[in-house]
Amino acid sequence: MSRNAVEWKQTPSFPESHYVDTRIYTEEDIFLDEQRKIFNKCWIIACHESEIPNAYDYRTFSHPGGPPLIVIRGEDMQVRTFYNICPHRGNTLLYEPVGNAKRITCIFHAWSFNATGDCIDISRGKEGYQDRFGCKDAGLREVKTELGFGGFVWVNVDDDSCTLKEYIGEAMGMLDEHLNEPLEVFHYHKAIVNTNYKLWHDTNSEFYHDYMHYFNRITGMIQPGYFDRKYTGYPNGHASVGSMAIKYDAYEGSKARGVGWPGLAPGGWVLIDIFPGMTYNLRTSVLRMDTAIPLGPNKLLIEFRGLGLKRDTPEERAERIRDHNMIWGPFGRNLHEDLLGVHGQGLAMRERTDSKWVIHGREENMTIHDEGGMRHFYAEWSRRMGRKAYDPYGEQAAVAK
Ligand code: FES
Ligand SMILES: [Fe+2]
């Protein structure tokens, strides 16, 4: 039966963990709160070590908490991260997304810095500052950086954060044995979508939407083992989904995958969601990494990386690239469908229509179509935010008093 205005806004008849208020996707004040309490507190992937293989190679990164960053490899081959901000009068230091810089010179007044963040030159320093201020007082702001879990470069702008290892805990257990070898990024693209970052992470946290993916229905959903996959939630909001064998040859025009992955059964598939917006997706021959970087409450940059083994022969690499592009490339079978889903959600929510609730109510014993993965995410989100995802402004709580 259709719903009138009052019925449409009625609180869903589910437990409070099974739905959220749509304002968590649209409101500016909630987004600013997320930057402070989530993005500036959590470990975030900035790039992969293979993107900066040589001394002085750098990559700029737009951190979702706000500060623009430079990830740079030093002469000692150590990877460090700094604010991409000049300590003189706050100018941007590096503009290119990628490059090599033995010396970073600010274009504004020509102060220079090295790859370890030290100031090495202040133009007419003595004349202007005499002995009151010098290079020793003007280093770049360093950001905690760790390499791990497949050679990714993780950053945390909170100096007092836990270690990366503590943050991840046991969540990467299902991939541990598959990420021992050096990896290499062979594909990078980004998409900018008018939607909220959490809606993208949701698509990686629930598989009920395989109904949208013809390919997944044929190669996965109708194959044995699909409904046996289980979600496992871990502390800090991370979750994994168990492996199954994908039957690629069930799809016309496709074929069984020839190049495998160390330790992974043929056709194997492991997916791990890392809070608040990163997903490892290892499928047979390719590791895909998504990084969700919000640019605002309803604007999202998603970085997509495809990785193979560093030791790949040219033939193996070519096959991985083919496998990757067929499913996950910008013109592949699946990715644009996911983007359409979250684009549609963003479109519907953008105007702050009175669409009030999003339902996460499926319970199927935490198997693949259970929406427990999302519930696990929003429990952590609520904990960190000090707001309930179903009642972000405390209105229901106030009425209940
Ligand atoms: S702002 Fe960079 S040198 Fe002045
Ligand atoms: Fe999908």
Side-chain angles (χ1 to χ4, degrees):
M1 203 157 51
S2 65
R3 317 276 284 166
N4 66 27
V6 174
E7 292 164 342
W8 174 243
K9 288 184 192 172
Q10 260 167 17
T11 311
S13 52
F14 286 119
E16 289 156 345
S17 54
H18 286 43
Y19 62 93
V20 301
D21 185 315
T22 53
R23 287 175 295 178
I24 67 169
Y25 303 116
T26 59
E27 298 308 300
E28 190 74 31
D29 62 325
I30 290 184
F31 174 64
L32 293 174
D33 227 18
E34 287 177 307
Q35 287 190 303
R36 276 192 299 270
K37 295 177 180 169
I38 293 179
F39 289 102
N40 281 347
K41 297 284 175 200
C42 293
W43 284 93
I44 307 284
I45 288 176
C47 63
H48 188 261
E49 61 179 349
S50 65
E51 295 169 78
I52 44 170
N54 305 309
Y56 312 120
D57 282 350
Y58 71 81
R59 192 95 168 73
T60 53
F61 177 61
S62 168
H63 189 278
L69 301 180
I70 302 165
V71 181
I72 187 162
R73 197 181 281 277
E75 193 176 25
D76 57 0
M77 298 306 276
Q78 199 183 316
V79 176
R80 298 178 180 84
T81 305
F82 306 100
Y83 277 17
N84 188 9
I85 299 176
C86 179
H88 177 219
R89 272 165 50 193
N91 189 31
T92 297
L93 289 168
L94 293 172
Y95 287 85
E96 298 296 323
V98 60
N100 184 280
K102 192 166 186 178
R103 183 185 177 105
I104 300 168
T105 301
C106 179
I107 58 169
F108 213 162
H109 313 93
W111 289 23
S112 292
F113 307 89
N114 65 17
T116 44
D118 309 317
C119 178
I120 50 173
D121 191 33
I122 294 179
S123 48
R124 300 193 76 244
K126 264 271 182 267
E127 289 86 342
Y129 300 109
Q130 299 82 40
D131 294 324
R132 296 173 295 127
F133 186 89
C135 278
K136 63 176 187 337
D137 306 306
L140 301 183
R141 153 70 156 105
E142 186 159 5
V143 170
K144 280 172 94 167
T145 306
E146 288 193 41
L147 262 64
F149 302 102
F152 288 93
V153 179
W154 299 74
V155 295
N156 196 320
V157 298
D158 177 13
D159 285 348
D160 300 322
S161 75
C162 63
T163 63
L164 173 63
K165 220 165 166 234
E166 288 164 343
Y167 181 68
I168 299 294
E170 305 296 312
M172 287 292 292
M174 290 189 70
L175 277 179
D176 265 355
E177 58 172 322
H178 309 307
L179 299 180
N180 289 332
E181 286 194 41
L183 306 181
E184 195 164 68
V185 172
F186 62 72
H187 172 92
Y188 172 89
H189 81 278
K190 57 187 179 184
I192 296 178
V193 197
N194 291 328
T195 198
N196 185 274
Y197 79 93
K198 296 186 288 299
L199 295 167
W200 180 258
H201 200 62
D202 286 353
T203 68
N204 281 326
S205 310
E206 61 93 357
F207 284 80
Y208 187 37
H209 81 274
D210 270 345
Y211 279 102
M212 180 165 67
H213 298 310
Y214 173 75
F215 188 92
N216 288 16
R217 291 206 305 276
I218 302 304
T219 64
M221 203 191 288
I222 63 170
Q223 303 300 334
Y226 176 87
F227 285 102
D228 298 335
R229 296 178 77 185
K230 278 223 169 197
Y231 284 102
T232 310
Y234 301 90
N236 292 327
H238 316 312
S240 68
V241 191
S243 189
M244 76 167 286
I246 302 299
K247 265 194 82 54
Y248 287 100
D249 49 4
Y251 175 70
E252 200 184 330
S254 185
K255 60 183 176 65
R257 299 299 202 238
V259 184
W261 192 275
L264 191 69
W269 182 10
V270 179
L271 184 141
I272 299 181
D273 287 313
I274 301 295
F275 187 90
M278 293 153 287
T279 302
Y280 285 80
N281 201 341
L282 177 62
R283 193 153 149 169
T284 302
S285 56
V286 175
L287 175 67
R288 163 180 151 196
M289 165 59 66
D290 295 8
T291 319
I293 303 164
L295 305 174
N298 200 40
K299 202 169 199 56
L300 171 65
L301 164 71
I302 315 165
E303 293 192 306
F304 298 100
R305 289 177 169 84
L307 296 101
L309 304 180
K310 196 169 177 204
R311 65 167 162 87
D312 280 343
T313 63
E315 294 74 30
E316 287 169 334
R317 181 60 59 88
E319 187 146 349
R320 282 192 215 284
I321 291 172
R322 229 180 2 256
D323 293 349
H324 173 273
N325 288 353
M326 181 172 172
I327 313 290
W328 290 332
F331 304 104
R333 182 72 229 194
N334 269 25
L335 202 62
H336 57 283
E337 293 169 344
D338 290 313
L339 290 170
L340 265 177
V342 298
H343 165 78
Q345 287 178 299
L347 201 62
M349 290 179 200
R350 179 182 59 182
E351 302 302 342
R352 298 178 191 166
T353 55
D354 60 358
S355 175
K356 189 105 174 71
W357 312 110
V358 166
I359 296 171
H360 300 155
R362 293 184 65 84
E363 291 183 6
E364 290 192 63
N365 199 23
M366 285 302 273
T367 54
I368 190 146
H369 284 188
D370 193 307
E371 288 172 335
M374 290 190 292
R375 292 194 291 273
H376 183 67
F377 176 94
Y378 287 99
E380 177 66 9
W381 185 92
S382 299
R383 185 183 76 79
R384 285 183 176 267
M385 291 286 282
R387 296 175 187 254
K388 306 288 184 206
Y390 68 90
D391 185 21
Y393 292 102
E395 293 149 347
Q396 292 187 44
V399 171
K401 268 186 191 162

